Amino acid sequence: MISTKKHIQQLASLLLSKGIDDIIISPGSRNGPLTHTFAGSGKFNCRNIVDERSAAYFALGLAQAKQKPVAIVCSSGTASLNYAPAVAEAFYLNMPLIVLTADRPDYWIDQAESQCIRQEGIYQNFTKSAFSLPLGETEKELWFAAREINECLNTAINGTPAPVHINIPLEEPLHDLLDEKLPTVKNITQPDVAAYLVDSELKQIAETVNKAQKILVLAGQQVPNPDLENRLIELVEKTGAVVLKEHISNLNHTTFCSSIDTIMAAIHDGQSEDFAPDLLISLGGQYVSKSLKQFLRKNHPSNHWHLSLSNEHFDTYQSLTKVINMQPSDFIEQLLPKVSSNNRTYFSRWKEKEQQVNQLRDDLIGRTQYCDLTVFDELRKAIPQNSVIHLGNSSPVRYALICDPVKNTRYFSNRGTSGIDGPLSTAVGFASESEKLNTIILGDLSFFYDSNALWNNYLKENLRVIVINNRGGNIFSLIKGPSDSPAFQEHFFTENKFKAEGIAKTFELDYFKAENQQELREVLKDFYSPKQQKPALLEIFTDAELNTKMFRELFKIVKQC
């Protein structure tokens, strides 16, 4: 049984024609025609999540796991506003959410009608395309709507993926049904087209590469891409380029450099010229390291090329000279035959510095007291290889990037907007579709903020939640400024006296805890045991003051090398 609303019928048909069959529904009445059609047609994988904010982040994680668009469906009014944080995150992570919001007819907007707000264009800053379906169902209106839906859905997945929004005004009756199949609607396709450099441009680019003595490649956040990884290895071997990557870049080869923040701290003012590039090539999304950004803004390269399918003019380092509208792997593949071998002095300089700071880090961790730094080192050693790790924002992602990555493991994090509001929901959505073990590491404030992520029926036995409970927002102790304020304790650190055990029990997760190094080592064996066949939560208690002391001690030590 499907809705009698013809616009909804053809919307469902077009979604299917483009392979979009995952639907996350939040319950409501105004979106009844959508719910009836998606669930009643038997063609869609429908999931129900009550909290719209959590539902949208869940869809984001699901889209990451499947690497395809996921649709979210809500009722009218503030329900649609609750999607906004995840839509913004998806926009900056280049993930294609299809946002379907039910609405009242426009003649009721601003007329004191229930659940009525100005919904049209509410995500306009965070979507590639947005429009409202017409209310009428004449032949012309249906033709127009089908064309608009085709264009909107094609936009979501063509080029650089991103969210799109379709607002759907609906008149009563909302729940009339009929026993029919979905109609056949014309599917307008938009195939991907590969881009190549013309010979004259390729020659000029190759000449610049061959003249450069210090080539630095910044690989930002991205999904695993073996082809790109292989091309980057070839580029390093042939030119002596340095590739800087963080765990969320999902590049695993040992020829690349990580430990970025500690390396940056170890570069003295007198060494800046040795490490500053004359050619900078950036690709992918966000970089976590603030110190790297500051270093490159202070030491401008002569040339900065950004590789982007959507022509993004990312001038993050205030030195952008060229935007190249190509897949990074295609660009490097076309470039490699045209470049000559270069000396490896610059490469060796970076790798030697990386080895020095990593040794100092390991020495400190080996002799220090139990704190967040030692906790993340224990987690790194305990989390199984060939799994998936989701990193919460603020302290967790920074501690994780200080430590070596777990080998053969995929890393994800909501670094598009870097908020604390949806990492658990995103991880739950990802894990619901993944066959691998999924670990989410987040802080106590972030966990409590997003605890509704556990309020659904899609928690799988592969989910492991690790809450670092240092009883507040410890990130504000680590950065300059807030910790010196009289308002620090109440309004920055925001002391937390609660524990996660009750929430774990409420949502039927097995609960584990650790309050010292020995307990942590022992409990991690059970937490990651093959015998653990239920989703589980591990709460690790640490002392915020000691965390801050040892974090600052690490950077004090590496600055002396």
Side-chain angles (χ1 to χ4, degrees), residues 23-78:
I23 313 289
I24 311 300
I25 300 171
S26 292
S29 180
R30 187 60 50 169
N31 59 335
L34 292 141
T35 303
H36 293 312
T37 303
F38 292 137
S41 68
K43 301 291 186 180
F44 294 90
N45 303 315
C46 296
R47 299 168 175 85
N48 187 281
I49 297 179
V50 175
D51 182 336
E52 287 88 2
R53 183 175 61 81
S54 181
Y57 277 113
F58 181 102
L60 172 61
L62 184 61
Q64 289 176 327
K66 302 191 78 168
Q67 286 299 294
K68 58 179 286 192
V70 172
I72 51 179
V73 178
C74 73
S75 190
S76 62
T78 55

Side-chain angles (χ1 to χ4, degrees), residues 127-284:
T127 51
K128 281 177 72 177
S129 179
F131 78 102
S132 286
L133 287 178
L135 195 60
E137 295 184 340
T138 66
E139 185 176 341
K140 278 189 176 181
E141 286 169 316
L142 288 167
W143 162 80
F144 167 73
R147 190 196 72 201
E148 290 287 308
I149 294 168
N150 265 292
E151 182 177 353
C152 192
L153 298 181
N154 287 341
T155 300
I157 58 179
N158 198 264
T160 300
V164 295
H165 175 212
I166 302 176
N167 192 52
I168 307 168
L170 292 162
E171 289 185 306
E172 296 183 4
L174 300 173
H175 305 291
D176 286 355
L177 305 177
L178 49 82
D179 189 8
E180 290 185 12
K181 294 182 179 180
L182 294 174
T184 300
V185 185
K186 182 174 62 175
N187 177 19
I188 304 171
T189 61
Q190 186 178 353
D192 287 328
V193 179
Y196 293 92
L197 293 166
V198 298
D199 289 344
S200 58
E201 186 69 31
L202 178 60
K203 181 181 178 181
Q204 183 183 38
I205 286 174
E207 287 176 354
T208 303
V209 172
N210 289 330
K211 289 178 183 177
Q213 297 298 308
K214 298 179 294 180
I215 303 170
L216 185 64
V217 179
L218 297 187
Q221 182 174 13
Q222 59 191 339
V223 297
N225 186 335
D227 184 49
L228 173 61
E229 182 152 7
N230 290 333
R231 298 291 84 75
L232 286 170
I233 293 168
E234 292 179 62
L235 184 69
V236 171
E237 291 174 347
K238 193 164 186 181
T239 67
V242 174
V243 175
L244 295 187
K245 58 94 175 180
E246 296 175 329
H247 302 352
I248 55 177
S249 303
N250 284 300
L251 298 172
N252 298 310
H253 200 272
T254 55
T255 195
F256 308 140
C257 286
S258 55
S259 304
I260 310 302
D261 274 340
T262 47
I263 292 176
M264 288 295 109
I267 298 175
H268 306 148
D269 289 340
Q271 299 176 318
S272 295
E273 180 63 27
D274 293 335
F275 288 88
D278 44 36
L279 171 60
L280 175 66
I281 303 173
S282 59
L283 55 96

